Amino acid sequence: MAGLSYGTAARIATRELHSSRGRFAFVILSVAIGVAALTGVRGFSSAFRVTLLLRARSIMAADIAARTYMPPTPNELAGIEALRAEGNDESPVTELLSMASASTAMDPLLVSVKAVDPAKYPFYGAVVLAPAMPLTQALTDTTVAVGDDLLLRLHLKVGDSIKLGTEVFRIAAVVEDEPDRLSGSFAAGPRVLISQRALAGTGLVAPGSRVTRRYLFKLRQGTPGQALSDAAVAALKTRLETLLPEAQIADYREANPALTKALDGATGLLSLMSLVALVLGAVGVAMAMRSHLQQRLDSIAIMKSLGAGSAQVMKIYLLQTLLLGLGGGVLGVVLGIGVQMVFPLFLAKLLHLTPTLQLEPHAIGLGLGAGLLTTLLFTLPPLLDIRKVRPILILRRNVETMDDPFATRVVRKLRGSGAQIAASVLILAGLVVLATRVSDSRQVGWTFAVGLAVSLLVLLGMAAATLWLLRKFLRGTGLRLPSVLRHGLANLYRPGNPSAALLAALGLGVMQIAAVYLVQRSIVNEMQVSTAGNVPNIFLMDMGSDEVGRVRALLMQQPTVKGEPEMIPVVSSRLMAINGVAVEKLKLQHMGRGGLGLNLTWPARADAPPAGDLVVEGKWWTAQQAADAAQHPLVAIERARASRLKVKPGDTVTLSAQDEAFTATVAAVYEADSRHAFSRAEFILPQAALAGLPVVWYGGVHCDPSATATLRRVLYEHFPTVTVIDVAATLEVIRQVMLQVIYVIQFLAAFSIFAGIVILASAIAGTRYRRIREVVVLKTLGATRERIASIFSIEFAVLGLIAGAVGLVFANVLGRYLLVHVLHFEYAFQPWLNLGAWLAVGAMTVAAGWLASHRVLGQKPLEVLREE
């Protein structure tokens, strides 16, 4: 066999594959499932993300928004014009307070004026008007659109006129919804929408006027239908921060923190699912290929006895591995495309949107490449073992000196294992490359690969230690165990049984599947809170302390109001110094001229943060510390504001309210829950620290979205000075988006778990052919089918329970790390869930074992003995 050509090697490999089609079914299926999960989940999640982020952009009405309280300088205007010249689009939004009057009302009314360019605004989403008409028709030089609460307060109707500044305008329509209602200013007074040209003629904007300017940017579009890259958004955001140093810059991902957190969590989880499926597929391939090569030891030994070298034999099985990887990869790509096509059909009714099917060559190429690479990498160690095969193995196959000391066996295994160590390093390097490409993050790639390697080593060590302890227990115990039980347990460490490798593979699979389930369960649970029916969608402003109780009582009487109204006291203040240094001397970027104005509040409970808020640094004060706050003030600061001010727990801030300055120590930094009214204030102090200061109350309540207009009228009739802001329509958009994210996460998690179960079944199936000889021996010795089935069931159950216990421990560790440190969600250990999962793993291992091995019991002893 000297000089074996690749053609000859390919014919031998193909002939062997053809003669053993059934044996390779699980190998190809393992590769196909992994590739299908990678291409299908990645392709669908990419298309879904494109569609979803378009919805997210509509909440800001743009890709990026810059808010400033200063008029633009000539240099800033030139910079904005340069951005337009590059293909980006920009539209200004001006917001201010003014007085509006009408002939039907004796007193003028404070209103919130919002001026836009109707030809461009909004870039995403739509302004809903009644009667329906284009925004360019509603906003002209002589017409405006108003909120229905303005009509109610001034006793007007569509077609009547109001006066703003020096001009009179006809009311052309009622504003029912604006896409950027939540990202705009929560100013007091009913809404008036006007064009920029009309505002310029009113005389309301003069030098020194208190005006909020927002610049909305739409990035230059690349390939139609493709999502803008995060890098492009970040690059423009960085340029704007340099161009507008006093502006607060935010992109569409920051339009609503709850939605942003959901999107980031979903994206991270989808990437994790792809990696999970890929690694489980690789583990299945390794187990099945190792089993196949063990079955071919006779053939390998015979070829070597006829003069074949190790390199020539390895060439045959290397080509065989490539054919298996290519076959599984092609099948996986076809299945992945099917997954990508079927998912929208199943989810269309739930999502109310159907992502466009786009066959991405990159995803297909990545899937094929990953299938081939993982097949080669994980079959490299068993292929290298071919070098150790000697013809004499025909006579003493699978015999180990089990009575040798443990240290002696370890030394024997380590001796001459340099190639295996090199193969392991190569596998780790390959996993780093694959994980980096799949997750689009070098850090995630390294973390995943190193974490996987450490997990495998620990799992292998624990599996070997468990088997050693089990052997010691059975040999040393004085207990008289039933023979069937004793035989089933002893089977775990019989010569030639790859129990340690199988335990590691099962433990790894359980860890990956359980971690995905725990992470998606935590994310979904938290997002379901966001979609609950008690999230405020009506906000109340400018309530006096004497009105709060009566407003609360009135709201509780309304049948359309759900849950308890949220009331928050607000004290206006200014930041004077940080750690004794005046703010004028600090370099605080992107704060704006109004950035030093603060809203202070106190929590409902003295010793706990407001509902939904999460302490991320420091520690919340105790009830005793709250009582002593008049002498020793403490403060908790919202995380984004703390980051801008560059403060941390232990620092001091000097605040001034009503010309009374006091210094408070930062006790905690917290993440605000934007779904609740308390998110309006970014500084929380104990009530004693704010005693005696003037307070204005704000509130939030959830009302049936179809009855918000009625509730607004009731509130106006009883409390005409309280401003009511209706954001039900905008919050409903956010709610629908988050529901869509929940459904997609659940469907993709179910697919990933299903893929993992199939691949684990293939790993167990890899031991099927090892059991044939044992069945033959037992039958020859007189064992019945029932006894053999009992022995194997005990073996499968113990394997599953041990692997389940180890895998679930690692799954909780991994899940906690991902949730807390990567995705920024809460983690809670669930004992009953873990107990149920542990028992389920044991049951599924028995079921999978018999699904792959049930035909073994029907094996005729003579058929096997004739092969000896």
Side-chain angles (χ1 to χ4, degrees):
M1 296 184 69
L4 183 68
S5 66
Y6 278 100
T8 303
R11 285 195 298 272
I12 296 174
T14 305
R15 190 181 302 118
E16 188 171 293
L17 286 174
H18 186 267
S19 64
S20 305
R21 294 186 298 272
R23 296 188 179 188
F24 290 112
F26 276 113
V27 177
I28 294 177
L29 185 61
S30 295
V31 179
I33 289 290
V35 173
L38 182 62
T39 56
V41 170
R42 187 177 176 85
F44 174 75
S45 63
S46 175
F48 176 75
R49 182 173 169 79
V50 171
T51 306
L52 194 61
L53 291 184
L54 286 175
R55 298 285 298 273
R57 283 175 168 87
S58 70
I59 298 171
M60 181 175 274
D63 294 317
I64 296 180
R67 182 196 303 273
T68 180
Y69 302 93
M70 300 287 291
T73 64
N75 287 338
E76 292 172 347
L77 290 175
I80 293 174
E81 186 58 38
L83 291 175
R84 291 198 199 101
E86 295 175 9
N88 304 299
D89 210 348
E90 180 270 337
S91 180
V93 176
T94 306
E95 296 172 309
L96 69 154
L97 296 177
S98 180
M99 303 301 293
S101 60
S103 58
T104 55
M106 296 180 59
D107 299 320
L109 177 67
L110 180 68
V111 296
S112 172
V113 179
K114 178 179 178 181
V116 300
D117 180 355
K120 293 183 177 181
Y121 172 87
F123 288 128
Y124 301 97
V127 178
V128 181
L129 302 174
M133 64 179 69
L135 192 61
T136 51
Q137 180 181 338
L139 305 185
T140 67
D141 292 346
T142 59
T143 59
V144 296
V146 302
D148 59 354
D149 49 348
L150 182 141
L151 302 182
L152 182 66
R153 293 189 177 206
L154 293 180
H155 308 289
L156 299 174
K157 62 182 183 300
V158 174
D160 290 343
S161 298
I162 61 170
K163 185 177 181 180
L164 291 171
T166 60
E167 298 294 324
V168 176
F169 298 92
R170 182 177 61 85
I171 299 175
V174 173
V175 181
E176 292 189 342
D177 186 33
E178 303 165 67
D180 58 339
R181 187 68 176 99
L182 282 181
S183 58
S185 298
F186 262 22
R191 200 68 149 173
V192 175
L193 206 57
I194 190 172
S195 70
Q196 290 281 357
R197 288 181 55 183
L199 177 65
T202 62
L204 293 176
V205 180
S209 298
R210 172 68 176 181
V211 174
T212 301
R213 293 174 174 85
R214 283 193 294 133
Y215 300 98
L216 305 182
F217 292 90
K218 181 180 181 182
L219 273 69
R220 179 181 66 251
Q221 298 297 307
T223 305
Q226 294 294 320
L228 290 171
S229 68
D230 290 344
V233 176
L236 180 57
K237 184 177 179 181
T238 301
R239 289 183 61 184
L240 288 173
E241 288 174 346
T242 304
L243 177 63
L244 305 171
E246 294 211 8
Q248 298 177 30
I249 315 294
D251 61 47
Y252 62 92
R253 296 166 298 182
E254 301 172 281
N256 182 269
L259 177 59
T260 302
K261 190 175 182 181
L263 286 174
D264 290 343
T267 302
L269 187 60
L270 294 180
S271 298
L272 173 65
M273 288 179 189
S274 297
L275 294 174
V276 166
L278 186 64
V279 172
L280 286 178
V283 170
V285 170
M287 294 294 297
M289 281 302 297
R290 181 176 290 276
S291 173
H292 168 65
L293 290 175
Q294 288 289 332
Q295 295 300 311
R296 304 305 299 173
L297 285 179
D298 288 351
S299 299
I300 294 171
I302 290 173
M303 283 190 285
K304 284 193 171 186
S305 68
L306 296 176
S310 295
Q312 294 172 327
V313 178
M314 288 178 65
K315 183 185 294 185
I316 295 172
Y317 289 99
L318 179 64
L319 289 173
Q320 193 175 92
T321 299
L322 285 172
L323 289 173
L324 288 172
L326 183 61
V330 171
L331 178 61
V333 167
V334 174
L335 291 175
I337 294 174
V339 168
Q340 191 175 347
M341 295 175 65
V342 169
F343 265 161
L345 298 178
F346 278 113
L347 302 180
K349 293 183 179 180
L350 297 176
L351 299 182
H352 306 293
L353 80 161
T354 302
T356 305
L357 175 63
Q358 296 175 349
L359 299 181
E360 298 185 9
H362 174 73
I364 294 175
L366 181 63
L368 278 173
L372 283 171
L373 185 58
T374 52
T375 303
L376 283 174
L377 287 175
F378 280 83
T379 55
L380 191 57
L383 285 176
L384 290 174
D385 283 341
I386 290 175
R387 299 174 306 129
K388 302 177 182 179
V389 176
R390 298 290 182 268
I392 199 172
L393 283 179
I394 298 174
L395 302 176
R396 59 175 193 180
R397 177 179 53 236
N398 289 340
V399 175
E400 294 181 332
T401 53
M402 298 301 295
D403 293 328
D404 286 350
F406 179 74
T408 304
R409 296 200 304 273
V410 171
V411 171
R412 186 189 308 119
K413 288 182 179 295
L414 290 177
R415 187 180 301 146
S417 60
Q420 295 287 359
I421 295 174
S424 301
V425 173
L426 188 60
I427 290 174
L428 180 62
L431 283 175
V432 170
V433 173
L434 284 174
T436 301
R437 293 297 303 275
V438 170
S439 63
D440 299 319
S441 169
R442 184 175 300 177
Q443 180 182 0
V444 172
W446 273 103
T447 302
F448 177 81
V450 173
L452 177 66
V454 172
S455 300
L456 273 174
L457 289 175
V458 175
L459 283 168
L460 282 170
M462 294 187 68
T466 302
L467 295 177
W468 180 80
L469 289 173
L470 183 62
R471 183 167 61 250
K472 289 295 183 182
F473 169 77
L474 290 179
R475 289 183 176 181
T477 182
L479 295 176
R480 302 184 63 83
L481 299 175
S483 60
V484 172
L485 178 59
R486 193 177 188 88
H487 194 162
L489 294 175
N491 257 10
L492 292 171
Y493 56 85
R494 70 181 183 276
N497 188 12
S499 294
L502 187 57
L503 274 174
L506 287 173
L508 180 64
V510 171
M511 179 191 75
Q512 302 279 26
I513 293 172
V516 169
Y517 180 78
L518 291 173
V519 170
Q520 72 89 22
R521 181 183 175 92
S522 296
I523 292 177
V524 167
N525 285 346
E526 185 159 336
M527 288 196 298
Q528 283 175 337
V529 175
S530 302
T531 62
N534 59 353
V535 176
N537 56 7
I538 296 287
F539 291 93
L540 312 176
M541 305 179 68
D542 302 329
M543 291 180 288
S545 298
D546 59 333
E547 295 177 310
V548 172
R550 291 182 289 135
V551 171
R552 184 191 296 273
L554 177 64
L555 290 172
M556 295 296 293
Q557 294 172 4
Q558 306 306 309
T560 57
V561 169
K562 299 179 181 178
E564 285 279 341
E566 298 179 5
M567 298 297 176
I568 168 176
V570 172
V571 175
S572 296
S573 173
R574 288 184 62 81
L575 178 64
M576 306 301 293
I578 298 176
N579 292 325
V581 181
V583 292
E584 293 80 6
K585 298 180 181 180
L586 296 172
K587 295 180 179 180
L588 302 176
Q589 295 182 337
H590 318 309
M591 294 297 295
R593 175 176 290 183
L596 303 180
L598 308 172
N599 285 333
L600 314 180
T601 189
W602 64 79
R605 281 185 53 189
D607 58 348
D613 290 357
L614 179 66
V615 176
V616 294
E617 291 183 54
K619 188 178 180 181
W620 204 263
W621 49 79
T622 64
Q624 183 59 47
Q625 289 174 318
D628 297 337
Q631 292 76 32
H632 305 286
L634 299 172
V635 62
I637 306 177
E638 191 272 331
R639 179 160 62 178
R641 178 59 70 105
S643 176
R644 288 174 181 156
L645 296 177
K646 300 178 182 178
V647 296
K648 60 185 182 302
D651 292 343
T652 61
V653 293
T654 301
L655 306 170
S656 175
Q658 293 293 306
D659 296 328
E660 287 189 22
F662 61 94
T663 300
T665 301
V666 179
V669 175
Y670 68 94
E671 184 173 349
D673 186 347
S674 63
R675 301 164 300 201
H676 297 282
F678 267 88
S679 63
R680 178 169 179 78
E682 297 170 319
F683 280 58
I684 303 178
L685 296 90
Q687 185 174 0
L690 301 177
L693 296 175
V695 178
V696 175
W697 287 79
Y698 296 85
V701 67
H702 182 88
C703 175
D704 187 336
S706 62
T708 56
T710 302
L711 180 62
R712 291 200 308 270
R713 284 193 292 270
V714 171
L715 286 168
Y716 173 70
E717 291 171 0
H718 291 80
F719 302 97
T721 60
V722 174
T723 300
V724 181
I725 298 177
D726 182 0
V727 293
T730 303
L731 285 177
E732 184 62 22
V733 172
I734 296 174
R735 179 177 176 273
Q736 289 298 325
V737 171
M738 297 186 76
L739 282 174
Q740 291 157 12
V741 174
I742 289 172
Y743 290 135
V744 168
I745 288 177
Q746 289 175 330
F747 269 80
L748 296 184
F751 177 78
S752 180
I753 291 172
F754 170 75
I757 291 173
V758 172
I759 291 170
L760 289 181
S762 72
I764 297 173
T767 65
R768 173 176 179 263
Y769 299 100
R770 290 179 170 275
R771 302 180 187 282
I772 293 177
R773 296 178 183 276
E774 184 175 357
V775 169
V776 168
V777 172
L778 290 174
K779 282 189 173 183
T780 303
L781 296 175
T784 63
R785 275 191 168 194
E786 291 73 15
R787 184 179 182 85
I788 297 173
S790 300
I791 292 171
F792 282 173
S793 296
I794 292 171
E795 180 183 352
F796 290 144
V798 174
L799 273 174
L801 292 175
I802 295 175
V806 176
L808 286 170
V809 169
F810 277 93
N812 280 274
V813 173
L814 177 62
R816 186 184 186 283
Y817 171 78
L818 289 171
L819 286 169
V820 176
H821 299 288
V822 178
L823 303 178
H824 304 294
F825 284 82
E826 291 188 36
Y827 166 82
F829 178 72
Q830 302 176 58
W832 290 111
L833 177 65
N834 281 273
L835 177 61
W838 180 59
L839 296 176
V841 168
M844 285 192 295
T845 304
V846 174
W850 280 117
L851 183 65
S853 306
H854 68 281
R855 296 179 61 185
V856 169
L857 292 179
Q859 190 71 45
K860 303 292 185 185
L862 192 59
E863 294 176 1
V864 177
L865 294 175
R866 280 174 176 171
E867 296 178 1
E868 295 295 328

